[in-house]
Amino acid sequence: MNTGFVTTPFGRRPMSLALMKGQLQAESVKPDKTVDKWKVFRDVCEARPLLDISDRTLAVLNALLSFYPENHLSGEASMVVFPSNRQLVVRAHGIAVTTLRRHLAALVEAGLIIRKDSANGKRFARRKTSGELEDAYGFSLAPLLARSEELAAMAQRIEADRIALRRARERLTICRRDVRKLVDAAIEDGVPGNWDDIDAAYAHHLACLSRNPEASDLDGVRLKLEELRTAIVNLLTSFDNFKKTSASVVQNEPHIQNSDIDSLELESEPKVQVETRPITSATVQSNGSQKIFSLALILQACPQISDYAQGGSIRGWRDLVTAAVTVRSMLGITPETYQAACENLGPENAAVVIACMLERANHINSPGGYLRDLTRRGARGEFSLGPMLMALVRQNSPVARRA
């Protein structure tokens, strides 16, 4: 092995085994090996995080490469450049000399260049009488040629990590969007569930992310959100099946006879003709834009209505309508006002409105005027039961009650 290239630094700079290893590695390059110097420089720029060098250090390396006359680094030619500090400062965009020395030391420490110092530490070239370069002292670019494959592999790894990070962010963004919009859809359609707890879990998982997360961190949070999304989808699916089952049960129930409701009215009050139709697609359409919400959701939002049902519990829509007639009388709403609500909103939805008013009875000064206003808005298509029910669901949730 030829070890003639192994030299020690000039002055007070110490020698190390790492420097000697780098010199021997550069000396072992095959003469026929060549590489584009600017391709190697681009690889070094990509691999900068792994090499632990700054962008200013790359600017100094770029200046050094500009002093090499050929476009390709070759093992057959001398790869030593010998610019003065003044020339390097100019090509490195005017950085200070002390800063230049620091970045040159960083390039040597990273194993990208090698110092080839003369006896007095000056940088110069000695030429033959024919003008051919005989020897040169300065900075050798041989490590760039010797490590070209390694630097290319490092650059590819950085690029692969960048792609993985971008894809992880995309997948997490899609999952976040799915969870957020599914929760909003569930609340809008009145699906019963612990949506406050789900929101809290959603926020907690996202809060675990650091300011600059890695792809693995993003994937970990995404997996937790995917579990949350699966749970939400299961809730929505169960609710959809429950609605279908509830509609089927209500269709098979007998109609409420007028005499059942009339028997609960005061003798002095006129009879209110309220007939509950089976909840079918025709019923929903006849109620205009109003939806028929599930009985489970209504009882979750309005638990007090059960106290006015026969037997103290509501088992079907007939029980709800019967209890609503009792509450209507208790709130002081005239039969004519309630009859108008039944005609415009539908008897089922009118009963739901009464149940909601019972929950907010302490905040309603004129129940009759309040119901007439809702009836007029419902007739114009300006009133929806969904927000009213969901507000009461959130009010009666365990979290709200503790607060």
Side-chain angles (χ1 to χ4, degrees), residues 84-105:
S84 65
N85 283 347
R86 182 178 179 181
Q87 291 172 318
L88 276 174
V89 165
V90 171
R91 295 201 187 183
H93 312 296
I95 64 175
V97 175
T98 54
T99 305
L100 173 67
R101 292 195 182 102
R102 186 170 68 252
H103 291 299
L104 287 172

Side-chain angles (χ1 to χ4, degrees), residues 73-351:
L73 300 174
S74 173
E76 295 179 348
S78 172
M79 287 176 282
V80 178
V81 292
F82 40 89
S84 65
N85 283 347
R86 182 178 179 181
Q87 291 172 318
L88 276 174
V89 165
V90 171
R91 295 201 187 183
H93 312 296
I95 64 175
V97 175
T98 54
T99 305
L100 173 67
R101 292 195 182 102
R102 186 170 68 252
H103 291 299
L104 287 172
L107 289 172
V108 174
E109 183 68 23
L112 298 176
I113 62 173
I114 296 175
R115 294 181 185 272
K116 187 180 180 183
D117 290 338
S118 63
N120 60 2
K122 301 295 184 180
R123 301 172 203 148
F124 63 91
R126 183 178 293 113
R127 298 181 183 275
K128 299 178 182 179
T129 55
S130 61
E132 184 181 353
L133 185 64
E134 179 182 2
D135 204 356
Y137 297 95
F139 300 102
S140 173
L141 304 175
L144 294 176
L145 178 62
R147 299 179 62 188
S148 59
E149 293 87 355
E150 176 191 354
L151 293 172
M154 293 171 69
Q156 291 174 4
R157 188 168 71 182
I158 290 292
E159 179 63 19
D161 291 344
R162 186 182 296 113
I163 293 174
L165 180 61
R166 183 173 68 248
R167 291 177 178 173
R169 283 176 175 167
E170 290 174 353
R171 290 192 292 264
L172 178 60
T173 299
I174 293 173
C175 193
R176 289 177 61 181
R177 182 186 66 199
D178 291 345
V179 171
R180 186 70 271 159
K181 291 197 172 185
L182 285 172
V183 170
D184 292 342
I187 294 176
E188 177 66 23
D189 289 344
V191 180
N194 296 324
W195 302 116
D196 292 337
D197 294 341
I198 291 176
D199 272 338
Y202 172 80
H204 172 73
H205 294 328
L206 294 180
C208 294
L209 288 175
S210 61
R211 186 177 182 86
N212 295 308
E214 301 290 338
S216 58
D217 300 329
L218 295 173
D219 286 335
V221 174
R222 176 180 56 83
L223 291 176
K224 293 178 181 179
L225 290 184
E226 285 181 349
E227 294 178 359
L228 196 62
R229 180 177 61 185
T230 301
I232 296 171
V233 171
N234 290 338
L235 282 174
L236 296 179
T237 304
S238 301
F239 177 71
D240 185 60
N241 294 335
F242 177 79
K243 279 180 30 178
K244 293 177 181 178
T245 304
S246 299
S248 175
V249 170
V250 172
Q251 286 179 354
N252 294 329
E253 288 184 353
H255 294 343
I256 299 177
Q257 301 299 324
N258 293 337
S259 58
D260 293 337
I261 298 175
D262 295 341
S263 62
L264 298 174
E265 300 295 327
L266 297 177
E267 293 297 331
S268 59
E269 294 179 337
K271 304 299 184 181
V272 181
Q273 301 299 323
V274 180
E275 181 182 356
T276 302
R277 300 178 300 277
I279 301 175
T280 62
S281 57
T283 304
V284 175
Q285 187 172 0
S286 67
N287 290 337
S289 60
Q290 298 296 331
K291 298 179 181 179
I292 298 296
F293 292 90
S294 72
L295 193 59
L297 173 65
I298 294 166
L299 294 179
Q300 182 182 356
C302 310
Q304 295 185 47
I305 192 68
S306 298
D307 297 337
Y308 298 89
Q310 294 181 355
S313 64
I314 293 178
R315 295 176 296 276
W317 285 97
R318 179 173 56 187
D319 295 339
L320 178 65
V321 173
T322 304
V325 172
T326 303
V327 173
R328 187 276 305 163
S329 177
M330 183 194 72
L331 293 176
I333 299 173
T334 64
E336 292 81 8
T337 299
Y338 186 56
Q339 181 66 35
C342 292
E343 292 174 355
N344 285 276
L345 304 177
E348 299 89 356
N349 287 325

Side-chain angles (χ1 to χ4, degrees), residues 24-39:
L24 293 176
Q25 183 183 17
E27 185 73 6
S28 64
V29 175
K30 296 180 180 179
D32 59 345
K33 184 177 181 180
T34 61
V35 66
D36 188 320
K37 65 178 183 180
W38 298 120
K39 180 182 181 303

